[in-house]
Amino acid sequence: MDTDLKTGRTDTFTHNAAPASEADPGRRDVLKGALLAGGGATAGALAPTLMSAAYGQAQPGTTQDHRNHVYLPATDRTVHWGYFSRSLKPVVEVDSGDFVTIETLTHHAYDDFERMIKGDPGAESVYFWTKDKKAVNRRGAGPMDASIHGRGAGEGFGVHICTGPVFVRGAEPGDILEVRIIDIAPRPCANPHYAGKAFGSNAAAWWGFHYKDLLTEPKPREVITIYEIDATGERNWAKAVYNYRWVPQTDPFGVVHKIIDYPGVPVDHSTIQKNNDVLKNVRVPIRPHFGVIALAPKEAEIVDSIPPAYFGGNMDNWRVGKGATMFYPVAVPGGLFSVGDPHASQGDSELCGTAIECSLTGTFQLVLHKKDRLAGAVAGLQYPLLETQDEWVLHGFSFPNYLAELGEKAQSAIYEKSSVDLALRDAFRKMRHFLMTTKGLSEDEAISLMSIAVDFGITQVVDGNWGVHAVIRKSLFAGAQV
Amino acid sequence: MDTDLKTGRTDTFTHNAAPASEADPGRRDVLKGALLAGGGATAGALAPTLMSAAYGQAQPGTTQDHRNHVYLPATDRTVHWGYFSRSLKPVVEVDSGDFVTIETLTHHAYDDFERMIKGDPGAESVYFWTKDKKAVNRRGAGPMDASIHGRGAGEGFGVHICTGPVFVRGAEPGDILEVRIIDIAPRPCANPHYAGKAFGSNAAAWWGFHYKDLLTEPKPREVITIYEIDATGERNWAKAVYNYRWVPQTDPFGVVHKIIDYPGVPVDHSTIQKNNDVLKNVRVPIRPHFGVIALAPKEAEIVDSIPPAYFGGNMDNWRVGKGATMFYPVAVPGGLFSVGDPHASQGDSELCGTAIECSLTGTFQLVLHKKDRLAGAVAGLQYPLLETQDEWVLHGFSFPNYLAELGEKAQSAIYEKSSVDLALRDAFRKMRHFLMTTKGLSEDEAISLMSIAVDFGITQVVDGNWGVHAVIRKSLFAGAQV
């Protein structure tokens, strides 16, 4: 059964599992079970989209009646936590042109269980952790026996709850996958006490740019701030609810986490001191987007979800919002598309280490471009490219493909070597290549144009592989013949 | 005689030299002479301002009938070239609240004499240079005998033609000077052959970020691109006219300049090869602004105009446009305000070393805030702060006061030590201070807010002391009580 997106009615969205089920009968059960379990308050009915109305319209002409539309809930069976892998079994398969609505969960939800997990079957299934059972055991790309730091399975070498992967039929290395972000909606709180609201967490954490540079005591410290968002869509800004200082938390397996060193550790609110006098009257405009939007890299069997690179990943660019389109080079068969790290808002640089980490549901259309028919902006693309309504945004990194560049220990070395200077160098080279190939400019033309009309900004300095984005407005070429 | 700004008629602007003349009879002659000589096609009549209509309105309530309005043309007697100095004799004195219209000349005008100098009495007087006479001899903060490199007087250690300084009566160290940019207009070409047009030059020069990282031969190379702007204001975009590769130029004193190592060297167009096939159909939106907008620093007798710092200077932020307001700490008596390095457009990072360097005329209102009555955003201000209609923009530098921080050889050391990482560190600290003092936030509140709502961008990486700006939207505090 196809879903008619043209009606704009989000409550008509249904899951068409047929194609995926044919390829893998077991998958149907996963999804069926997930749908029955429900995706929190959003199960079977996406939240209203008024909230993101400021983020532009979906591209016209992308909905056609013969496209499938798959609904992918977030459950313990549809997520992978803290890593990407070329060997992950896809949770769904689609054809080029199909739509996928994907629930994503923030990995900071346990900072406030009452507001971000309780009553939400999807979140409860993912976060389930008692002394006897941990629903999603691996969290990160580290060893399962936590033999390095003893933090927990996967060691928290990678932290993001990623929903997927989605296998795109026919996608092969060298192809380009286009991901159109049709819609983004906040995940309403499932706790009746907070009906109509959604919540997010901002952690000023040890990996933040500020951490060793604090003015006031106690130093150092990690601070969590909980933000409230209007899930009904009437309010386009977030407000702070309270904050608290992280104090050691003991996880259900008995490991003590003195700092925020492992994702999804339950925060026992009887141990913390809430400060409700926080950012009074400050309105934070929301910019809903996905911090992690990735294909699987080919270079390693299992890859930490934190450092972004050519395959996208944890780019943490707030421009990856409704109406935007991502383009990626496909590195492995099927592409293996995953989404996570949902943000209600973030500033360029993500200075303290996180954004407003807030569960969101996105609707995407996946369009495959085969390598023998590539042209225009996607020809020869070797990095994640973002197109918004008015701009092209190119992503530079300190190391564009750190997995290949930094040798066997790349996944630890990347945390020691980044700088904004290097990321600017990469962004410069990518923009030059883009202008010379896509727009047919000479090197001299490209360099002059970059200096007078391209804006370079600091995407993030907290994800191991630091990022600089280069923004060029499409209007520059509105009159161009090439 | 006062000028009535309220009429909006720019052709009624006249020079009120009386206050300045009383303090310094000699100054009247300077200004009178300048007015007689004319300021190019703009003498006595500012160019239409339609061009910058997109840059917002001047702040309401800033014009009052009892304010003086001084017109300061750019001539060989009203400019200082390539340096700032606490000891410069002011070319005009004003009271707090007065208006000053200041002509500024690009130091790249001699890249195309026909389009940017010829027929313009002001530009001709400043650029005048024959084997017998050089109207403005010192260009830069280096030795007058050019004993270091032999480039010319001042050695080109500093390159910008700065108009001023303007002495603000009553300004003392510790005070804050507010500079409101009421209007910006391009300087129309004075050559009848190009009537109605204005021109600028972009030099992809040896100090650019790209210079040692070129793809195509010959390497390295410097390339000049000439851009055309519509001086009538009907078109809000620039277009490229032609480009050429720099070849050695012999100045009137016989010094050969193999690279662009001294400002204002006449380019002999019989020696260059013009390429007219450049950036066809590309429209560069204009962002008229002043790259250099400065007070005099106190730390040294003569200071290179290139590295920006706490006193402003060569910030190269395109947001310093019409409708914006700068705030500076006053470091020396009178403040000694100068403006130069006019740009028609620039991207964040100014990657190749320059913008569209294009002569402009600005109208400013100067408002003095005495140190014993400072409050709000300006209390304790120790860096150049920019306010636009919707944003506060704070300027971070690799070294916030390199003159004091880098010792006796600061003015050469600064060129060896900059990085974007350091500038981001400074911008972070300044934004934290701003939020904690101006908005009364705790450090934890400030850090969280910075991560979710402040955008950090790369201002420039070509001015010795690299810059990162931090942008926060005023609307965040629209509902705030503090």
Side-chain angles (χ1 to χ4, degrees):
Chain A
M1 184 188 114
D2 293 339
T3 300
D4 183 5
L5 275 179
K6 289 179 178 172
T7 66
R9 287 178 59 87
T10 51
D11 58 355
T12 63
F13 282 17
T14 54
H15 168 56
N16 182 340
S21 307
E22 285 161 16
D24 178 0
R27 190 172 306 117
R28 177 166 50 188
D29 293 336
V30 169
L31 292 167
K32 190 177 174 188
L35 279 170
L36 288 174
T42 67
L46 278 176
T49 60
L50 287 173
M51 185 178 178
S52 47
Y55 285 78
Q57 299 303 307
Q59 302 181 356
T62 56
T63 58
Q64 298 183 30
D65 287 341
H66 66 277
R67 304 301 188 192
N68 291 317
H69 188 139
V70 179
Y71 192 95
L72 183 56
T75 78
D76 58 344
R77 300 182 68 184
T78 62
V79 304
H80 47 106
W81 195 327
Y83 64 97
F84 307 114
S85 174
R86 61 195 181 199
S87 303
L88 266 174
K89 188 175 172 182
V91 293
V92 70
E93 272 187 42
V94 300
D95 289 314
S96 175
D98 284 352
F99 293 85
V100 192
T101 292
I102 303 178
E103 295 180 4
T104 66
L105 296 175
T106 173
H107 52 293
H108 285 268
Y110 232 141
D111 292 341
D112 187 330
F113 174 84
E114 293 285 326
R115 286 180 171 83
M116 289 186 275
I117 299 176
K118 190 175 179 179
D120 182 328
E124 287 188 350
S125 82
V126 170
Y127 275 97
F128 187 87
W129 188 358
T130 65
K131 68 180 170 55
D132 302 314
K133 186 187 172 198
K134 186 180 173 194
V136 183
N137 194 23
R138 174 181 282 285
R139 301 181 185 184
M144 286 299 283
D145 64 0
S147 52
I148 299 177
H149 296 301
R151 296 170 179 172
E155 288 279 26
F157 294 170
V159 295
H160 310 96
I161 301 172
C162 300
T163 310
V166 176
F167 185 99
V168 181
R169 291 193 192 95
E172 293 293 334
D175 297 343
I176 300 294
L177 186 67
E178 174 181 348
V179 178
R180 301 174 181 172
I181 304 175
I182 308 298
D183 200 9
I184 299 181
R187 187 180 184 90
C189 178
N191 182 336
H193 190 62
Y194 302 108
K197 297 176 179 177
F199 294 94
S201 171
N202 171 254
W206 60 268
W207 62 87
F209 190 81
H210 69 292
Y211 190 65
K212 295 178 180 171
D213 195 5
L214 289 168
L215 293 172
T216 56
E217 297 294 343
K219 296 190 273 191
R221 64 184 180 275
E222 293 177 307
V223 177
I224 307 281
T225 307
I226 303 297
Y227 287 85
E228 177 189 308
I229 293 132
D230 177 16
T232 69
E234 290 191 7
R235 212 178 64 202
N236 65 355
W237 44 273
K239 64 177 178 183
V241 184
Y242 67 94
N243 69 8
Y244 62 89
R245 195 178 309 145
W246 183 272
V247 293
Q249 297 295 320
T250 305
D251 72 33
F253 288 173
V255 175
V256 177
H257 302 272
K258 291 187 180 174
I259 56 172
I260 305 171
D261 64 0
Y262 193 74
V265 169
V267 173
D268 178 355
H269 274 221
S270 73
T271 67
I272 61 162
Q273 190 156 0
K274 286 189 189 179
N275 166 30
N276 294 304
D277 183 23
V278 55
L279 292 168
K280 291 298 176 200
N281 303 308
V282 174
R283 299 176 172 192
V284 181
I286 58 168
R287 297 168 163 177
H289 63 280
F290 297 99
V292 168
I293 183 160
L295 298 188
K298 69 174 184 293
E299 286 76 8
E301 181 62 23
I302 184 165
V303 175
D304 180 344
S305 70
I306 294 172
Y310 77 93
F311 53 87
N314 186 31
M315 295 186 300
D316 282 328
N317 187 341
W318 58 262
R319 295 162 188 83
V320 183
K322 177 174 173 173
T325 298
M326 287 293 311
F327 298 89
Y328 306 85
V330 173
V332 303
L336 300 184
F337 177 66
S338 299
V339 193
D341 195 27
H343 294 166
S345 197
Q346 187 205 295
D348 278 336
S349 86
E350 203 184 18
L351 195 123
C352 82
T354 63
I356 297 182
E357 310 283 328
C358 171
S359 299
L360 302 173
T361 296
T363 296
F364 308 88
Q365 186 182 27
L366 307 183
V367 179
L368 181 63
H369 300 273
K370 293 300 293 179
K371 61 186 157 196
D372 54 355
R373 282 173 288 172
L374 298 180
V378 299
L381 186 68
Q382 297 187 333
Y383 56 86
L385 171 67
L386 173 65
E387 179 179 10
T388 68
Q389 182 175 314
D390 298 322
E391 300 166 338
W392 291 101
V393 183
L394 283 62
H395 292 92
F397 305 107
S398 295
F399 296 88
N401 181 355
Y402 74 99
L403 293 166
E405 294 163 53
L406 298 183
E408 270 188 27
K409 302 204 170 175
Q411 296 201 50
S412 53
I414 187 62
Y415 288 96
E416 308 298 328
K417 292 174 176 284
S418 278
S419 87
V420 185
D421 298 329
L422 286 171
L424 174 62
R425 176 69 56 195
D426 184 42
F428 151 62
R429 291 174 177 169
K430 283 170 175 166
M431 181 56 83
R432 174 175 57 186
H433 180 265
F434 178 87
L435 293 173
M436 292 177 71
T437 56
T438 306
K439 302 299 179 187
L441 302 185
S442 70
E443 186 176 27
D444 291 339
E445 291 174 302
I447 286 174
S448 182
L449 197 58
M450 258 186 280
S451 199
I452 65 177
V454 172
D455 293 319
F456 292 84
I458 300 169
T459 327
Q460 52 74 27
V461 289
V462 295
D463 295 335
N465 199 8
W466 294 4
V468 165
H469 51 271
V471 180
I472 188 159
R473 291 156 283 174
K474 295 178 189 172
S475 60
L476 272 74
F477 307 102
Q481 304 303 308
V482 290
Chain B
M1 184 188 114
D2 293 340
T3 299
D4 184 4
L5 274 180
K6 290 178 179 175
T7 65
R9 288 179 57 87
T10 52
D11 59 355
T12 63
F13 284 14
T14 54
H15 169 55
N16 182 341
S21 304
E22 283 159 19
D24 178 359
R27 190 171 305 118
R28 178 167 52 187
D29 294 338
V30 169
L31 293 166
K32 188 177 174 189
L35 279 170
L36 288 174
T42 67
L46 279 177
T49 60
L50 288 171
M51 185 176 178
S52 47
Y55 286 79
Q57 298 303 308
Q59 302 180 356
T62 57
T63 58
Q64 298 182 28
D65 287 341
H66 66 277
R67 305 299 189 192
N68 290 318
H69 189 137
V70 179
Y71 192 96
L72 184 55
T75 77
D76 59 344
R77 300 182 68 182
T78 62
V79 303
H80 47 108
W81 195 329
Y83 64 97
F84 308 115
S85 174
R86 61 195 181 199
S87 303
L88 267 175
K89 187 175 173 182
V91 294
V92 70
E93 271 187 40
V94 300
D95 290 314
S96 176
D98 283 353
F99 294 86
V100 192
T101 293
I102 303 179
E103 295 180 3
T104 66
L105 296 175
T106 174
H107 52 293
H108 286 269
Y110 231 141
D111 292 340
D112 186 331
F113 174 84
E114 292 285 326
R115 286 179 171 84
M116 292 187 273
I117 299 175
K118 190 174 179 180
D120 181 327
E124 287 188 350
S125 82
V126 170
Y127 276 98
F128 187 86
W129 189 359
T130 64
K131 68 179 169 56
D132 301 314
K133 186 188 170 197
K134 187 180 173 195
V136 183
N137 194 23
R138 174 182 282 284
R139 303 181 184 183
M144 287 298 283
D145 63 0
S147 51
I148 300 177
H149 296 301
R151 297 169 179 171
E155 288 280 25
F157 295 169
V159 295
H160 310 97
I161 301 171
C162 302
T163 310
V166 177
F167 185 99
V168 181
R169 291 193 193 94
E172 293 293 334
D175 298 342
I176 300 294
L177 186 66
E178 174 181 349
V179 178
R180 300 173 181 172
I181 304 175
I182 307 299
D183 200 9
I184 300 182
R187 187 179 185 91
C189 178
N191 183 337
H193 189 61
Y194 302 107
K197 297 176 181 178
F199 295 93
S201 171
N202 171 254
W206 61 269
W207 61 88
F209 189 82
H210 69 291
Y211 190 65
K212 294 177 181 172
D213 194 6
L214 288 168
L215 293 172
T216 55
E217 298 293 346
K219 296 190 274 192
R221 63 183 180 276
E222 293 177 308
V223 176
I224 306 280
T225 307
I226 302 298
Y227 287 85
E228 177 189 309
I229 293 135
D230 177 16
T232 69
E234 291 191 7
R235 212 178 63 203
N236 65 354
W237 44 272
K239 65 178 178 182
V241 184
Y242 66 93
N243 70 8
Y244 62 90
R245 195 178 311 146
W246 183 271
V247 292
Q249 298 294 321
T250 305
D251 73 32
F253 289 172
V255 176
V256 178
H257 302 271
K258 291 187 178 175
I259 57 173
I260 304 171
D261 64 1
Y262 193 74
V265 169
V267 173
D268 177 354
H269 275 221
S270 73
T271 67
I272 61 163
Q273 190 155 359
K274 287 189 189 180
N275 165 30
N276 294 303
D277 183 21
V278 56
L279 291 169
K280 289 300 176 199
N281 302 307
V282 174
R283 299 176 173 192
V284 181
I286 57 168
R287 299 168 160 176
H289 63 281
F290 297 99
V292 168
I293 182 160
L295 300 188
K298 70 174 183 293
E299 285 76 8
E301 181 62 24
I302 184 166
V303 175
D304 180 345
S305 70
I306 294 173
Y310 78 92
F311 53 87
N314 186 29
M315 296 186 300
D316 281 329
N317 187 340
W318 58 262
R319 295 162 188 81
V320 182
K322 176 174 174 173
T325 297
M326 288 293 312
F327 297 91
Y328 307 85
V330 173
V332 303
L336 300 184
F337 177 66
S338 298
V339 194
D341 195 26
H343 294 166
S345 196
Q346 187 206 296
D348 278 336
S349 86
E350 201 183 19
L351 195 123
C352 84
T354 62
I356 297 180
E357 311 283 329
C358 170
S359 299
L360 301 172
T361 296
T363 296
F364 308 88
Q365 186 183 27
L366 307 183
V367 179
L368 181 63
H369 300 272
K370 292 301 292 180
K371 60 186 158 197
D372 55 356
R373 282 173 288 173
L374 297 180
V378 300
L381 186 69
Q382 296 187 335
Y383 56 86
L385 171 67
L386 173 66
E387 180 180 10
T388 68
Q389 181 174 315
D390 299 321
E391 300 166 336
W392 291 101
V393 183
L394 282 62
H395 293 93
F397 305 107
S398 294
F399 296 87
N401 181 355
Y402 74 99
L403 293 166
E405 294 163 53
L406 298 182
E408 269 189 30
K409 302 204 169 175
Q411 295 201 50
S412 54
I414 187 62
Y415 288 95
E416 307 297 328
K417 291 173 177 282
S418 278
S419 86
V420 185
D421 298 331
L422 287 171
L424 175 62
R425 176 70 55 196
D426 184 43
F428 152 62
R429 291 174 176 169
K430 283 169 175 168
M431 181 55 82
R432 175 175 56 185
H433 180 264
F434 178 86
L435 293 173
M436 292 177 72
T437 54
T438 305
K439 302 299 179 186
L441 302 185
S442 70
E443 186 177 26
D444 292 339
E445 292 175 302
I447 286 173
S448 182
L449 197 58
M450 255 186 283
S451 199
I452 65 177
V454 173
D455 294 319
F456 291 84
I458 301 169
T459 328
Q460 52 74 27
V461 288
V462 295
D463 295 334
N465 199 9
W466 294 4
V468 165
H469 52 272
V471 180
I472 189 160
R473 290 156 284 174
K474 295 178 188 173
S475 60
L476 274 74
F477 307 101
Q481 304 303 308
V482 290

